[in-house]
Amino acid sequence: MQALMLLFWTGALLGHSSCQDSSGSPQEDSSGLDTTGVPMEEEDPFFKVPVNKLAAAISNFGYDLYRVKSGLSPAANVLLSPLSVATALSALSLGAEQRTETTIHRALYYDLITNPDIHGTYKELLASVTAPEKNFKSASRIIFEKKLRIKSSFVAPLEKSYGTRPRILTGNARLDLQEVNNWVQAQMKGKIARSTQEIPSEVSILLLGVAYFKGQWVTKFDSRKTSLQDFHLDEERTVKVPMMSDPKAILRYGLDSELNCKIAQLPLTGSMSIIFFLPLKATQNLTMIEESLTSEFIHDIDRELKTIQAVLTIPKLKLSYEGEVTKSLRELKLKSLFDWPDFSKITGKPIKLTQVEHRSGFEWNEDGAGTTPSPGLQPASLTFPLDYHLNQPFIFVLRDTDTGALLFIGKILDPRSI
Ligand SMILES: *[C@@H]1O[C@H](CO)[C@@H](O)[C@H](O)[C@H]1NC(C)=O
């Protein structure tokens, strides 16, 4: 077993992590601090690529958003594609005057990026993560109150970098709902159900982020091995759910002895992968794991996991979400956008953010590309296979492995519903 014990450092993360800041800890070498007191570490070459650096920044925003959302509803599943929300905010920042732009850029961690062309790099990132082979769709939109006159100097760069046009409400609730539904249908190719929620009449600025993903495993599951099995909601309650299994799965694995969880990564087609965080015992309290999630931590995990063979069981999953992330965003240093923002690059009239909506769909089943593991995946020699059963609450992170971008994050307390 010793060979499988991987010790990850969870405290000393790069500069701006949302984890407990380690900069004051005694073991920090003072020569490792720059003049601002931010711990400097040799930056991984991966993050020197501008698109990867941007992906890390907005993914860190994504982990922040996830943490707040999960904290607001500790007993519920969470399904979130933070990228679509980040995209809407980044696009909106094109219309923000300096103090408001700074607010948005801080929340998205752009203040840590020295890149003169963030919006151009964003376009590159979106093109990369929504390439057809990724099976991931994401779209964002800015919707304004009725009769608002918008400056063309805002619309042009919005279209250029984010490929989206702002929408101005008609004020007719039925028509507006229909139009938004049609837009979502067109963007998501019909994979997300139409909403019945009318757009509130008091909207000033509404941001809408939508996303859909259907995973294709690199190695597909044998559907004859799928059966109803126990899922432990916690130490007492158990439900039956359809579980896929593979007695000889090849996966990448590590035991995090600080977080008390077993981490596994399964590859998907299109340079995508899912990382699972499974506590050692059944619990709905995943706070410790959640606190440690940052782009840098996930990147390090990705490098340290070891290829092994395992007896794998994993619930079939089909989840959808429709709701607001307004309250969560208010808690993310973005409160001023809802109170007294300066969007005078968009219009002469005072406008403010009133609502942020998210709709998403996510599924995986047995589908995959091949029946045998790719030749690149050769397990370390083991005398016995390990068990990895996702039959109790877990967290998953869907990442684009090319850029490191976080595309979906989920807290699965009960696989039967969202
Ligand atoms: C969840 O776990 C954390 C850390 O282990 C602990 O601080 C917290 O109090 C727990 N929360 C609940 C609701 O039990």
Side-chain angles (χ1 to χ4, degrees):
M1 281 302 284
Q2 202 54 36
L4 298 171
M5 302 282 280
L6 298 179
L7 290 176
F8 297 116
W9 39 270
T10 54
L13 294 165
L14 289 177
H16 212 82
S17 80
S18 40
C19 234
Q20 269 76 28
D21 196 341
S22 65
S23 60
S25 63
Q27 64 268 40
E28 192 75 50
D29 179 357
S30 64
S31 64
L33 299 177
D34 72 6
T35 50
T36 61
V38 174
M40 291 281 284
E41 288 177 41
E42 191 58 42
E43 191 173 47
D44 192 302
F46 181 81
F47 294 117
K48 290 192 173 139
V49 180
V51 72
N52 299 353
K53 180 85 181 169
L54 178 66
I58 59 168
S59 302
N60 275 330
F61 160 80
Y63 294 117
D64 288 348
L65 181 60
Y66 164 78
R67 265 184 287 276
V68 175
K69 185 122 187 43
S70 176
L72 287 173
S73 52
N77 285 347
V78 175
L79 176 70
L80 189 66
S81 176
L83 176 80
S84 64
V85 180
T87 305
L89 280 169
S90 190
L92 182 67
S93 78
L94 285 168
E97 282 295 352
Q98 197 172 1
R99 81 177 154 83
T100 299
E101 185 188 49
T102 304
T103 301
I104 299 176
H105 284 189
R106 282 215 179 116
L108 298 176
Y109 294 96
Y110 290 176
D111 53 333
L112 301 179
I113 302 179
T114 46
N115 176 347
D117 183 21
I118 289 215
H119 300 290
T121 306
Y122 211 116
K123 180 179 183 165
E124 206 184 309
L125 175 64
L126 284 177
S128 165
V129 299
T130 58
E133 69 272 17
K134 305 270 182 199
N135 301 311
F136 173 71
K137 299 187 200 328
S138 178
S140 310
R141 206 180 195 199
I142 306 175
I143 298 171
F144 292 108
E145 63 189 55
K146 66 177 178 187
K147 297 209 181 101
L148 193 74
R149 292 177 63 88
I150 297 178
K151 296 178 180 175
S152 57
S153 55
F154 168 66
V155 177
L158 188 67
E159 277 204 271
K160 179 168 171 266
S161 293
Y162 297 92
T164 178
R165 288 181 66 82
R167 168 78 192 169
I168 297 159
L169 294 174
T170 65
N172 176 325
R174 192 182 56 83
L175 281 183
D176 286 333
L177 174 62
Q178 194 174 45
E179 198 279 338
V180 169
N181 271 331
N182 290 346
W183 178 83
V184 172
Q185 292 290 305
Q187 297 292 323
M188 298 293 116
K189 306 278 185 279
K191 296 293 190 185
I192 289 191
R194 302 181 89 86
S195 174
T196 53
Q197 293 287 312
E198 278 189 5
I199 295 163
S201 54
E202 71 278 11
V203 156
S204 176
I205 305 174
L206 184 160
L207 301 182
L208 174 62
V210 295
Y212 176 78
F213 178 74
K214 170 141 192 244
Q216 292 286 322
W217 308 108
V218 165
T219 308
K220 68 181 167 200
F221 286 83
D222 180 350
S223 53
R224 290 167 303 185
K225 295 199 171 75
T226 301
S227 62
L228 277 183
Q229 290 182 36
D230 285 346
F231 187 94
H232 305 279
L233 300 177
D234 52 34
E235 281 181 317
E236 281 116 43
R237 296 170 303 149
T238 300
V239 294
K240 292 271 188 211
V241 302
M243 287 273 208
M244 315 185 290
S245 59
D246 183 348
K248 287 186 173 173
I250 304 295
L251 45 80
R252 299 183 64 234
Y253 174 84
L255 176 71
D256 190 315
S257 56
E258 269 181 58
L259 298 179
N260 283 321
C261 72
K262 298 191 279 184
I263 304 174
Q265 185 197 50
L266 274 185
L268 295 152
T269 61
S271 300
M272 305 276 268
S273 71
I274 295 188
I275 298 181
F276 298 100
F277 294 86
L278 181 69
L280 295 179
K281 67 177 180 57
T283 171
Q284 303 231 328
N285 184 349
L286 306 172
T287 316
M288 278 242 290
I289 298 165
E290 293 175 336
E291 289 296 322
S292 69
L293 297 175
T294 66
S295 301
E296 295 76 17
F297 178 55
I298 297 286
H299 179 75
D300 288 336
I301 284 176
D302 184 40
R303 291 201 314 191
E304 292 189 40
L305 297 179
K306 301 281 180 280
T307 303
I308 60 145
Q309 186 177 317
V311 181
L312 172 69
T313 54
I314 165 173
K316 277 170 90 154
L317 215 57
K318 184 168 182 170
L319 302 170
S320 61
Y321 175 80
E322 176 187 340
E324 287 194 44
V325 290
T326 316
K327 204 169 163 216
S328 306
L329 282 183
R330 274 177 168 273
E331 295 187 14
L332 280 184
K333 301 173 268 185
L334 287 167
K335 195 170 170 299
S336 69
L337 299 188
F338 298 88
D339 299 331
W340 52 84
D342 184 350
F343 286 115
S344 49
K345 282 159 106 175
I346 298 176
T347 180
K349 192 183 168 194
I351 50 172
K352 63 181 181 182
L353 190 55
T354 45
Q355 213 165 332
V356 185
E357 290 207 5
H358 183 53
R359 296 188 202 171
S360 58
F362 184 97
E363 60 183 299
W364 68 54
N365 55 24
E366 294 88 351
D367 292 353
T371 47
T372 49
S374 72
L377 284 174
Q378 283 308 319
S381 51
L382 278 182
T383 49
F384 59 94
L386 220 92
D387 282 338
Y388 199 81
H389 302 306
L390 288 155
N391 60 359
Q392 56 178 67
F394 62 91
I395 290 174
F396 75 82
V397 166
L398 171 72
R399 261 170 102 240
D400 168 41
T401 40
D402 292 334
T403 59
L406 166 68
L407 303 181
F408 258 102
I409 181 165
K411 174 173 78 168
I412 308 302
L413 301 182
D414 182 344
R416 294 173 304 172
S417 66
I418 182 74

